[in-house]
Amino acid sequence: QVQLEESGGGSVQSGGSLRLSCAASVHSFAFSRYRMGWFRQAPGKQREGVAAIDDDGTTNYADSVRSRFTISQDKVNDAVYLQMTSMKPEDTGMYYCAADSRVGASLMERYYRNWGQGTQVFVSE
């Protein structure tokens, strides 16, 4: 079991950047074996996978954010990050960090058993 806490959300204008952080409360050794994902949920829409990273560093991105967002992890500090650039109003939503000890940089919600509480992101025109 791992507890996750997101931070870094806020308001930004279209074209701007934000960096989200997710701190994991798990021993460094165990964290290195987790796959991590970022998901988001826009108002009135279902939660969707945005980016994921496997324990070997393999990454996976939704088509809507590829080349604009970058997921990375810090195994020393048990953290994962989502660098968001060239942001668009459609990037607005609650962003969640998720973790699972199974392999594969999946963007499917059902493959993650540990979730944070989320951090809000708003992108204005």
Side-chain angles (χ1 to χ4, degrees), residues 48-63:
E48 62 175 352
V50 174
I53 186 166
D54 203 355
D55 61 345
D56 65 357
T58 301
T59 57
N60 190 14
Y61 296 94
D63 289 342

Side-chain angles (χ1 to χ4, degrees), residues 84-106:
M84 304 184 291
T85 63
S86 302
M87 296 186 73
K88 305 174 181 179
E90 51 263 44
D91 294 323
T92 294
M94 183 71 80
Y95 281 70
Y96 299 90
C97 176
D100 198 90
S101 58
R102 293 170 290 186
V103 299
S106 176

Side-chain angles (χ1 to χ4, degrees), residues 102-115:
R102 293 170 290 186
V103 299
S106 176
L107 297 178
M108 302 296 288
E109 183 176 344
R110 65 177 181 268
Y111 292 134
Y112 291 84
R113 291 171 288 186
N114 303 281
W115 292 84

Side-chain angles (χ1 to χ4, degrees), residues 4 6-7 13 30 32 38 45 54 59 92-93 98 117:
L4 306 168
E6 305 92 337
S7 62
Q13 289 188 327
S32 68
W38 283 99
K45 295 187 177 181
D54 203 355
T59 57
T92 294
Q117 295 299 307

